[in-house]
Amino acid sequence: MNAEERTRVLWFLLALCQLNSEGQSDYAPYFYDYGPGATHGNMALFSISEDTPVGTHVYTLNGTDPEEDPVRYGLTFEQGTKEYFRVDPKSGNVTLVQELDREKQAEISALVSITDGRNKVAETVRIFVTDANDEQPEFQNLPFAIDVPEDTAPGSSVYKVTAVDKDMGSGGSVSYYLQVNRHFTIDGHSGVLRIRANETLDYETTPAHFVTVVAQDGGGKYKGQHQVMSSTATVTINVVDAQDTPPSFVGTPYFGYIYEVSLPGSEIFTVYAKDGDQGNPNSIHYSIMNGSDGVFDINSTSGCISLTTNPSQLKSELYEIRVKVGLPSGPMDYDITTVTVRVVDLNNHPPTFYGETGPQNRFEVTMFEHPPAGEILRGFKITVNDSDQGANAKFKLRLVGPGRVLRVVPQTVLNEAQVTIIVEDTSGIDYEKGSTLTFKLLAIEIDTPERFSATADIIIHLLDTNDNVPAFTSEYYVARIDENSPGGSSLVSVTAIDPDSGPWGEVKYTIYGSGSDLFSIHFSTGLISTQPWATLDAEARSKYNFYVKAEDGEGEYSLAEVFVTVLDLNDHSPEFHESLLEETMVIGAPVRIEAVDEDAESPNNVIEYSIMKADPKNIFDIDCNTGVIKLKPYIKSMEIIHNITKSQECKWSLLVEARDRGSPSFSTTAVLNIDITEARTSLPDAFPRSRGSPMKVLGMVTGIISLLVGATVLFSTAMYLRNTKSNRISPARRIIKRRPRHPEPPWSFRMPIFRDAGPSSKFLADDPEGGRADRGAGGPRAKPPPPNAPSLPPPPPPSSATASKARTSERPRVLPTISGVLASRSFKKPKASSSSGSGSGRKETMSSALVSELKMRLEQKINESNQGYC
């Protein structure tokens, strides 16, 4: 053996020794056994309730390995059986995976195993399924149907029911009871069904009974709660008839009739009876006990009662026959009834209406409309008759026609009666609704099977009366007409209807009332129109209302009111108060022009203003709605004005237009002269301006303001003390005088350097008669001469030094202009007497002279102040 072989043998011996040593120390794993009732271990003798929910963790397999190697668990079942449980190999948790049912499988065999990977130990275990109350009792031998004779003694048992419950313990015990039933009872333990004591069965009353039996278990646990289960079954008890009830008549009481045409042997009536024991009926026998007087006979088998003699030989009109029905078996089993037989007349005559000459089916009368309610129509002579006797001659009368206008008396008749017709509703007898009224008079038998009847026509011819007043189709009428419409223009047509006939229905129209003098109406057609000489002016009056009268031939009348609206037309053009307007405009403040349109309504009297012509242009803006004129926004000083025009007058003439919004539209124009100036505050003569002493001037102004404030405070204090002493404070009142409609035009004053004929002359045309006329859209109008103040005297000529200083001044001085305010006034001036005119002229001349002198002195003071300032 070489070294290599010896090495191989040595390694083999070492491996064999190692294997031998390992086999001696390897032990198999094993389960713990904690005994019955434990929830972990090897599942030996483990029990589980059948109502355990699927998915519940029910047990834990628990074991160990001596070498402390990790173990794994297994759970298997025999092939072909259900696998109710599943185990987690690592944790040993056993889970229920299928629903248990003890009644189907009370014991489950399974193989549990534990292994450490080398050794595996398996054990067969038996798992017991415990009972839960999940089964209801089941009746045996269904269905339950029995026959019981009706003469069975009370308390007798008739049947025994059986029910089985598959549960164990109290859940498997069964007890019985009946739902509500008064004829039977049941033993709760045995299930024996009996007839109640003091109760009997009766086939004729109840041939069958349906008894509901309830089987109930003793109750038990199910899914943690106590549960009682039950089931029901119906026991059909057929009652067998016994011969214990006598026969009886059916359909009583009985009535029969004998007519005048009946023959001997005719059937009068048939009685009917049946045996009380219907389950096994006996033959019955009919017989007459008494009351027939020998003229009636009965068939003993069928019960048919017949007449044995002629009706003319009957001695009575009413017979009461006593009939007996019985059994051949015993004299006590019978029943008795009474058959009433009446002898009646044959109904062979219908009712008939009669007039004064015999039978009649048409009755007519002529009368005035609207007779009083309750009046008898005596023009009708009507008799009604039925020749039969007794009930056959009884009938009722009925009047059929429009509404409840008439009623008939009497309403029920026996044999014969006189017919009376009475008025019930007088409004229904109206000639205007119809000149003829037609009714049907009916006579109908009441108690006869034939119900014979008769009919007659009732015709009423009406005569008219004047019972209606003419009625207008409307309570009021509304008309509209344009102003200035020619005389005789139609406004509206009114209509009144009188349904009466002849002259009573002819309507004539008249009008009256305030405002009706301008209108007329056609007496027959009702057409309202203006008078031929009338002219309507919306500006003078736009609303009229008056009454129209409709009258018939007898003076009956009615009234309606007419409302007339005069529609305004655009027949006036706007008018300025003067064709030549004078305004003074201070820079930054607007002026306003105003025109008046005498139309009554908008848009005819709505005025829009515009500037038609201005020289130069683009100086003024005008508000088209208000007539407010203002300078363009960029004109803010007199310097800009002088840059625009080379003229030193600062006076513009504008051609302004006022246009209304009517259709067609009218307009008028006027020339507006505007003097432009700017507001300046001039110091009085007592405070001459000086360049060298501005502080002195400021101090003097401050002193004057202080004196004025002090005087105001003293005056206010004195007034307060006076009011306090008198315990009242007089309210301050502001009296606003209303501007007169035609005020006297105020004067306008011009500087001496202005010419009397300004730039407005370019917009004026020479009048052939010596004046000027306005050529606006409104047509030529005479322009009243504007008032002019007396001319001011020329200013004194300035010295050469003063003139040179004025020319060399850095900023030119602007002479302020004094002007009056132009007030609105109408073109239509009131005429004044010659005396008043001369007096007002003298006053105006005196006022003008004073104002001119004051203005001249003020201009001189201003010139002197400017010379001293320069």
Side-chain angles (χ1 to χ4, degrees):
M1 181 179 298
N2 55 22
E4 184 178 357
E5 292 178 351
R6 286 196 300 270
T7 302
R8 291 179 179 176
V9 171
L10 182 59
W11 280 105
F12 177 76
L13 293 175
L14 289 173
L16 184 62
C17 291
Q18 183 179 1
L19 290 173
N20 188 25
S21 62
E22 289 178 359
Q24 293 176 356
S25 61
D26 185 16
Y27 296 97
Y30 60 89
F31 283 105
Y32 294 121
D33 187 1
Y34 296 103
T39 59
H40 56 281
N42 60 353
M43 290 189 78
L45 302 178
F46 171 64
S47 61
I48 181 173
S49 177
E50 64 176 330
D51 60 350
T52 302
V54 174
T56 305
H57 173 214
V58 298
Y59 200 84
T60 301
L61 293 177
N62 195 359
T64 186
D65 182 67
E67 289 81 26
E68 297 183 355
D69 290 335
V71 296
R72 295 177 68 85
Y73 303 97
L75 179 61
T76 59
F77 297 87
E78 295 180 2
Q79 187 176 2
T81 61
K82 287 185 178 182
E83 295 183 359
Y84 288 96
F85 303 96
R86 183 178 294 125
V87 65
D88 186 278
K90 293 182 179 181
S91 64
N93 292 335
V94 179
T95 304
L96 180 66
V97 296
Q98 288 200 40
E99 187 175 344
L100 300 174
D101 189 353
R102 188 200 65 82
E103 287 73 27
K104 294 181 180 179
Q105 187 173 355
E107 182 179 320
I108 301 171
S109 178
L111 184 67
V112 296
S113 63
I114 183 172
T115 179
D116 60 1
R118 295 182 302 277
N119 299 305
K120 180 178 182 180
V121 177
E123 298 179 4
T124 300
V125 296
R126 298 169 61 194
I127 301 170
F128 299 100
V129 181
T130 60
D131 186 44
N133 190 23
D134 61 341
E135 297 288 338
Q136 63 183 12
E138 294 183 2
F139 285 96
Q140 308 295 311
N141 302 321
L142 289 175
F144 300 140
I146 58 175
D147 295 331
V148 178
E150 66 173 333
D151 55 357
T152 302
S156 302
S157 62
V158 296
Y159 193 71
K160 179 180 181 181
V161 296
T162 303
V164 177
D165 194 323
K166 296 178 181 179
D167 291 321
M168 300 178 64
S170 63
S173 63
V174 179
S175 60
Y176 306 92
Y177 67 90
L178 300 180
Q179 290 184 353
V180 179
N181 191 287
R182 70 181 186 87
H183 291 94
F184 299 91
T185 184
I186 193 170
D187 188 279
H189 298 288
S190 63
V192 174
L193 187 65
R194 300 177 181 274
I195 301 175
R196 285 183 180 272
N198 301 323
E199 288 290 338
T200 58
L201 304 180
D202 188 356
Y203 173 85
E204 287 72 27
T205 303
T206 309
H209 296 269
F210 301 94
V211 181
T212 301
V213 182
V214 181
Q216 177 178 286
D217 62 19
K221 292 287 185 179
Y222 181 72
K223 292 186 179 181
Q225 296 183 354
H226 184 77
Q227 175 175 276
V228 177
M229 303 192 72
S230 62
S231 60
T232 60
T234 300
V235 181
T236 302
I237 302 175
N238 298 313
V239 180
V240 179
D241 189 24
Q243 296 297 328
D244 59 349
T245 305
S248 60
F249 285 100
V250 178
T252 58
Y254 298 136
F255 298 94
Y257 300 93
I258 300 175
Y259 300 99
E260 58 182 341
V261 294
S262 299
L263 299 176
S266 300
E267 179 181 343
I268 303 302
F269 194 81
T270 299
V271 297
Y272 174 71
K274 63 179 181 178
D275 188 11
D277 299 316
Q278 299 179 16
N280 187 18
N282 296 314
S283 59
I284 56 178
H285 180 269
Y286 300 96
S287 61
I288 295 178
M289 296 182 65
N290 53 46
S292 67
D293 290 346
V295 295
F296 298 101
D297 193 9
I298 189 170
N299 187 301
S300 61
T301 304
S302 64
C304 178
I305 301 175
S306 58
L307 181 65
T308 60
T309 186
N310 195 289
S312 60
Q313 298 179 359
L314 297 177
K315 300 179 181 180
S316 177
E317 293 184 356
L318 183 67
Y319 293 87
E320 292 185 350
I321 306 173
R322 291 174 58 83
V323 180
K324 173 183 176 182
V325 60
L327 300 175
S329 59
M332 297 301 294
D333 297 333
Y334 64 90
D335 189 18
I336 298 175
T337 188
T338 300
V339 179
T340 303
V341 178
R342 182 182 300 275
V343 179
V344 296
D345 175 50
L346 184 63
N347 186 27
N348 52 2
H349 295 90
T352 305
F353 291 103
Y354 295 89
E356 294 180 335
T357 60
Q360 189 174 334
N361 58 6
R362 181 183 178 91
F363 300 89
E364 297 185 40
V365 70
T366 300
M367 57 182 287
F368 285 102
E369 62 177 339
H370 300 302
E375 179 176 333
I376 298 175
L377 303 185
R378 303 187 183 278
F380 291 112
K381 306 294 183 180
I382 306 173
T383 303
V384 62
N385 175 270
D386 191 326
S387 301
D388 289 318
Q389 300 296 322
N392 293 336
K394 187 177 182 180
F395 55 93
K396 61 182 178 180
L397 293 177
R398 193 175 159 198
L399 193 62
V400 180
R404 294 186 176 180
V405 178
L406 305 174
R407 62 186 177 93
V408 63
V409 176
Q411 295 184 351
T412 302
V413 179
L414 182 62
N415 289 117
E416 185 176 308
Q418 186 74 29
V419 178
T420 302
I421 297 177
I422 302 174
V423 177
E424 190 170 56
D425 182 8
T426 184
S427 63
I429 306 176
D430 191 349
Y431 178 86
E432 285 71 31
K433 295 179 180 179
S435 59
T436 302
L437 295 178
T438 302
F439 296 85
K440 289 286 186 180
L441 182 59
L442 304 180
I444 305 173
E445 292 182 348
I446 300 175
D447 298 328
T448 63
E450 294 82 8
R451 306 279 290 187
F452 289 137
S453 63
T455 304
D457 293 328
I458 304 297
I459 300 174
I460 301 175
H461 301 283
L462 296 179
L463 301 177
D464 191 21
T465 60
N466 189 21
D467 59 333
N468 291 283
V469 176
F472 283 97
T473 56
S474 177
E475 295 181 359
Y476 60 89
Y477 296 87
V478 177
R480 294 175 177 85
I481 185 172
D482 293 334
E483 65 174 343
N484 301 330
S485 295
S489 298
S490 299
L491 276 79
V492 66
S493 180
V494 300
T495 303
I497 299 174
D498 191 330
D500 290 322
S501 61
W504 298 326
E506 296 177 359
V507 180
K508 295 182 180 181
Y509 301 96
T510 55
I511 59 174
Y512 69 94
S514 175
S516 64
D517 53 342
L518 298 179
F519 305 94
S520 63
I521 187 171
H522 193 278
F523 73 95
S524 62
T525 63
L527 178 63
I528 300 176
S529 57
T530 59
Q531 293 283 5
W533 46 265
T535 300
L536 302 180
D537 188 356
E539 288 75 31
R541 181 175 178 180
S542 62
K543 302 290 184 180
Y544 296 88
N545 69 293
F546 49 86
Y547 291 95
V548 59
K549 177 180 179 181
E551 185 176 6
D552 64 15
E554 280 193 353
E556 299 290 339
Y557 68 91
S558 62
L559 301 177
E561 193 167 4
V562 180
F563 297 89
V564 179
T565 300
V566 181
L567 301 178
D568 182 43
L569 297 180
N570 193 20
D571 56 347
H572 293 83
S573 61
E575 293 181 355
F576 287 103
H577 302 303
E578 293 182 352
S579 60
L580 179 62
L581 308 177
E582 300 282 346
E583 291 288 347
T584 297
M585 177 181 290
V586 178
I587 294 179
V591 297
R592 183 173 182 269
I593 62 174
E594 183 179 7
V596 177
D597 193 317
E598 294 184 358
D599 284 313
E601 300 175 358
S602 62
N604 297 333
N605 60 2
V606 178
I607 301 175
E608 294 181 344
Y609 300 91
S610 62
I611 298 176
M612 302 296 294
K613 186 175 180 182
D615 186 17
K617 298 180 180 180
N618 299 327
I619 297 296
F620 300 97
D621 288 330
I622 187 169
D623 189 312
C624 65
N625 296 318
T626 63
V628 172
I629 301 175
K630 56 186 178 180
L631 291 171
K632 293 285 186 178
Y634 67 87
I635 301 176
K636 299 182 180 178
S637 65
M638 291 298 296
E639 287 77 0
I640 299 175
I641 296 294
H642 289 303
N643 291 334
I644 294 174
T645 178
K646 301 303 181 181
S647 174
Q648 296 298 320
E649 295 181 352
C650 300
K651 183 173 182 180
W652 268 266
S653 290
L654 309 178
L655 181 62
V656 293
E657 181 188 58
R659 178 177 293 274
D660 60 28
R661 295 183 181 178
S663 178
S665 178
F666 295 105
S667 65
T668 188
T669 58
V671 177
L672 173 63
N673 293 331
I674 298 180
D675 293 340
I676 302 177
T677 184
E678 62 180 353
R680 291 294 179 89
T681 304
S682 300
L683 295 175
D685 294 342
F687 306 102
R689 288 175 289 184
S690 174
R691 277 186 174 181
S693 57
M695 296 303 297
K696 178 187 275 188
V697 174
L698 181 61
M700 295 178 68
V701 172
T702 304
I704 292 175
I705 294 175
S706 300
L707 290 175
L708 293 175
V709 171
T712 303
V713 171
L714 290 176
F715 180 76
S716 300
T717 304
M719 292 299 295
Y720 175 76
L721 292 176
R722 190 188 71 172
N723 293 334
T724 303
K725 186 175 179 180
S726 60
N727 291 327
R728 67 181 183 87
I729 299 177
S730 301
R733 296 186 178 180
R734 181 183 179 189
I735 300 176
I736 302 176
K737 294 185 176 180
R738 186 174 182 181
R739 185 174 62 184
R741 181 170 178 83
H742 304 294
E744 292 294 330
W747 294 105
S748 297
F749 301 98
R750 300 181 180 85
M751 294 298 295
I753 59 174
F754 290 168
R755 297 192 304 269
D756 290 339
S760 61
S761 59
K762 67 172 70 71
F763 298 106
L764 300 177
D766 292 335
D767 190 277
E769 299 178 3
R772 294 185 181 271
D774 179 13
R775 299 185 184 275
R781 291 187 180 86
K783 175 183 178 299
N788 293 323
S791 301
L792 295 175
S799 62
S800 60
T802 304
S804 62
K805 289 182 181 180
R807 285 194 298 270
T808 59
S809 177
E810 295 181 356
R811 55 177 182 172
R813 313 302 297 174
V814 179
L815 295 179
T817 301
I818 299 178
S819 176
V821 179
L822 179 64
S824 301
R825 62 171 183 164
S826 174
F827 279 106
K828 300 177 181 179
K829 298 180 180 179
K831 296 181 180 180
S833 63
S834 58
S835 60
S836 61
S838 61
S840 60
R842 288 193 296 270
K843 291 180 181 179
E844 291 176 359
T845 305
M846 186 181 299
S847 300
S848 300
L850 292 175
V851 172
S852 300
E853 183 179 358
L854 178 62
K855 187 174 182 180
M856 182 178 65
R857 292 182 180 180
L858 180 59
E859 294 294 340
Q860 292 175 357
K861 294 293 183 182
I862 291 173
N863 291 334
E864 293 175 0
S865 299
N866 290 339
Q867 292 174 4
Y869 182 75
C870 297

